[in-house]
Amino acid sequence: MYFCEKYPVVEKRELADGIYSVVVNAPNAAKAAAAGQFANIGVPGFTLRRPISICGIDKERGTLRFVFEVRGKGTAELAKISEGDELDILAPLGNGFSIPETGRIIAVGGGIGVPPMLEISVETCERCTAIIGFRDKSRIILAEDFERNGSEVHLCTDDGSAGQKGLVTFPLADELEKGDVAAVMACGPAVMLKSVAKMCEVYNVPCQVSLEQRMGCGVGACVVCSCLTVRNGKEMYSRVCKDGPVFNAEEVKFDG
Amino acid sequence: MADLSVKIAGVEFSNPVIAASGTFGNGECYTDLYPISKLGGISCKGMTIEPKQGNPPPRIAETYSGILNSVGLQNIGVRGFIDYYLPTLKQDGNVIIANVSGATIEDYVRAAELLDQSDVDMIELNISCPNVKAGGATWGISCDGAASVTREVRKATKKPLIVKLTPNVTDITEIAKAVESEGADAISMINTLLGMRIDIRTRRPILRNNMGGLSGPAVFPVAVRMVRQCYKAVSLPIIGMGGISTWEDAVEIMLAGASAVQMGTAIFTDPYSPLKVIDGLAGYMDKNGIKSLSEIVGQCQEW
Ligand SMILES: Cc1cc2nc3c(=O)[nH]c(=O)nc-3n(C[C@H](O)[C@H](O)[C@H](O)COP(=O)(O)OP(=O)(O)OC[C@H]3O[C@@H](n4cnc5c(N)ncnc54)[C@H](O)[C@@H]3O)c2cc1C
Ligand SMILES: Cc1cc2nc3c(=O)[nH]c(=O)nc-3n(C[C@H](O)[C@H](O)[C@H](O)COP(=O)(O)O)c2cc1C
Ligand code: FES
């Protein structure tokens, strides 16, 4: 069940230069939402809505949280929103993560792929190990949020200005080596997802990845948001908005 | 409330607002928001006789007041449509229009034969898709092509036949006349205008298919102009579309000559926009004492 409504913004903060956290009061959408789903957000003056992952769900307060980075004209316009304004939201959309009831979960996020991982940590707390990577110290977001949930956090930066220097795949290899991992879940740049998926295959650990694609409707109607997948041994285009955005990694043809 | 009903090719629509092909799936995706029976009709996702995979992504790019798409007719095939989607559509929806494409005349004819035996209310021949190499627009850009597809499909079905025209031609009225003379019951127009966008950083087209079809408010004046030209050139009823997003747009294109409208891209911006257009039209009729929308069709007073 999804909704299309204008919801009041109850909190807006800048987390890093050009990266914003926005909380809206949306009781019906919050009630229906699950980790890994997204919203298609209307931006005044633009034909297309912007897909943004749901970063936080508070069913009791009836709020949804989004964290987005200014990338182009639409997100720049979106960044102008203030507390008290209304946000035009179509949500919750798509298939989220399926989180195993027991066992250790590794949540891997790269850059602006980190926000959709946070809700996994909310649900799994100490069971969750978060491996989050950023370009440099100035781009770090949400690290304390993961810690507050009781999750262990491995912080990586490309240039070593904070945490471990290098890619998220280094700490991921260590964690997988320790064994006893129920699932790996990941969101980030395509190259990152591809290497995460490959490592999970080697260690024989189930892996779910959250994909991005340019979208039209966001609800499965227009088939513009396709990604190449293999289902029942057959190559076919799936819809990121409806069949995803979260897919089992073995279904995804990353070079398609 | 005003009586919004319209009749096209003998088919009664409870209101003149129809979801445009390719933008509303097969009616299954928006039911969380409203019942599809609110719409006068649905033109279903373009179908071909065999299932089609479509073009590689990205398939969409934003433009000023519009979008480019290059879906390339991804669909599950006519049989899949009839077995899987049609029963629910017939049960929940109003007028169901099957939108058909093909690479060869044979493809169109085989699709029409199957649909003729089905529960669809009308067939809309898409001879205007700019996103597939063979077929689609290649039929719609010449009078001979348009005439021969219409002629052969006409023989294959008794269902009311709409032919959907492409704007990517020099003189659209010539095509309209050609399909009228071969037995089309109505025309719908316009399909998308061929366009292109390039990412200046990568120097790559944004669409993986390089080019795609432009739709949305950007094309509206072109649609109004072409509907007007065809209204004057043929006597077939016209289903107008291309960039309609408000009830004022709907009135405008009806004044140009459209008997009903389709809305596509506007649904992406606001899924409720078709319902807002329906309400707006009702208010407009009440306010102006219009008893039937047929009173305004084509009533533009040209200088
Ligand atoms: C399922 C999903 C979840 C996402 N979650 C987040 C998130 O939580 N936080 C965040 O900052 N970003 C997220 N993104 C990426 C975000 O949608 C884009 O950064 C944004 O659409 C860019 O819009 P723009 O107008 O600023 O850029 P422009 O380049 O001006 O946009 C032009 C068009 O391309 C589309 N587009 C451009 N980049 C992307 C992209 N990477 N993915 C999809 N469409 C794109 C835009 O939506 C728009 O239609 C997500 C994308 C998807 C598909
Ligand atoms: C994503 C997308 C897919 C489309 N697919 C089809 C199709 O399968 N068959 C067809 O006849 N037209 C198709 N069209 C064209 C629309 O039906 C319509 O003619 C066009 O978009 C103009 O109307 P609009 O501006 O209201 O969208 C498609 C348009 C879009 C945007
Ligand atoms: S965006 Fe329309 S089907 Fe995914």
Side-chain angles (χ1 to χ4, degrees), chain B residues 124-167:
Chain B
E124 179 174 53
L125 282 191
N126 177 9
I127 55 164
S128 47
C129 180
N131 292 324
V132 284
K133 285 199 181 68
T138 50
W139 297 107
I141 55 173
S142 78
C143 291
D144 284 351
S148 42
V149 179
T150 310
R151 185 186 316 127
E152 297 309 316
V153 171
R154 179 72 291 171
K155 289 184 204 154
T157 179
K158 294 201 163 50
K159 300 267 184 199
L161 187 61
I162 308 164
V163 180
K164 183 165 176 178
L165 306 185
T166 172

Side-chain angles (χ1 to χ4, degrees), chain A residues 222-224, chain B residues 19-23 43-47 59-60 67-71 73 99-101 124-129 131 164 189-192 213-217 219-220 241-245 262-266 268:
Chain A
C222 71
V223 290
V224 302
Chain B
S21 177
T23 62
S43 177
C44 298
K45 172 64 203 159
M47 60 190 92
R59 294 174 173 181
I60 190 165
I67 56 172
L68 294 175
N69 90 81
S70 58
V71 171
L73 291 173
N99 179 279
V100 175
S101 264
E124 179 174 53
L125 282 191
N126 177 9
I127 55 164
S128 47
C129 180
N131 292 324
K164 183 165 176 178
M189 55 194 291
I190 55 177
N191 208 317
T192 54
L214 179 65
S215 62
V219 310
F220 181 65
M241 80 191 91
I244 296 168
S245 56
Q262 289 187 12
M263 293 177 66
T265 306
F268 299 168

Side-chain angles (χ1 to χ4, degrees), chain A residues 214-225 239-242:
Chain A
R214 287 171 183 253
M215 292 185 179
C217 66
V219 298
C222 71
V223 290
V224 302
C225 60
R239 297 162 299 182
V240 170
C241 74
K242 180 91 175 177

Side-chain angles (χ1 to χ4, degrees), chain A residues 107-124:
Chain A
V108 187
I112 204 61
V114 172
M117 312 315 293
L118 185 58
E119 195 55 31
I120 296 173
S121 132
V122 169
E123 285 184 31
T124 56

Side-chain angles (χ1 to χ4, degrees), chain A residues 38 46 48-55 66-76 112 115-116 210-215 240 245, chain B residues 60-62 201:
Chain A
F38 70 100
F46 292 80
L48 292 178
R49 292 167 173 269
R50 268 42 181 180
I52 302 290
S53 300
I54 294 172
C55 168
F66 303 98
V67 169
F68 67 90
E69 181 174 30
V70 173
R71 282 288 172 86
K73 289 181 188 162
T75 44
I112 204 61
S210 178
L211 303 184
E212 284 189 3
Q213 189 49 271
R214 287 171 183 253
M215 292 185 179
V240 170
Chain B
I60 190 165
E62 201 175 38
R201 281 159 303 198

Side-chain angles (χ1 to χ4, degrees), chain A residues 63-119:
Chain A
T63 58
L64 287 178
R65 180 189 189 189
F66 303 98
V67 169
F68 67 90
E69 181 174 30
V70 173
R71 282 288 172 86
K73 289 181 188 162
T75 44
E77 186 61 34
L78 205 56
K80 292 183 190 157
I81 197 139
S82 314
E83 285 171 19
D85 290 350
E86 289 190 321
L87 206 53
D88 175 7
I89 291 177
L90 185 61
L93 304 175
N95 280 319
F97 294 104
S98 49
I99 304 173
E101 297 281 330
T102 55
R104 210 152 67 87
I105 309 293
I106 304 181
V108 187
I112 204 61
V114 172
M117 312 315 293
L118 185 58
E119 195 55 31

Side-chain angles (χ1 to χ4, degrees), chain A residues 1-6 40 42-43 45-50 71 73-74 88 90 92 213-229 234-239 242 256, chain B residues 22-26 28-33 45 53-67 69-71 74 85 199 201 206 215-217 265 267-272 276:
Chain A
M1 188 75 184
Y2 68 84
F3 303 89
C4 182
E5 283 178 34
K6 294 202 161 84
N40 217 6
V43 190
F46 292 80
T47 305
L48 292 178
R49 292 167 173 269
R50 268 42 181 180
R71 282 288 172 86
K73 289 181 188 162
D88 175 7
L90 185 61
Q213 189 49 271
R214 287 171 183 253
M215 292 185 179
C217 66
V219 298
C222 71
V223 290
V224 302
C225 60
S226 50
C227 67
L228 201 59
T229 54
K234 242 181 76 189
E235 267 192 24
M236 60 190 281
Y237 285 121
S238 293
R239 297 162 299 182
K242 180 91 175 177
Chain B
T23 62
F24 206 72
N26 291 306
E28 78 283 21
C29 299
Y30 285 102
T31 48
D32 279 4
L33 298 184
K45 172 64 203 159
Q53 224 197 357
N55 291 324
R59 294 174 173 181
I60 190 165
E62 201 175 38
T63 72
Y64 289 111
S65 290
I67 56 172
N69 90 81
S70 58
V71 171
Q74 177 177 336
Y85 289 112
D199 184 327
R201 281 159 303 198
I206 293 174
S215 62
T265 306
I267 302 173
F268 299 168
T269 317
D270 176 4
Y272 286 110
K276 291 176 183 167

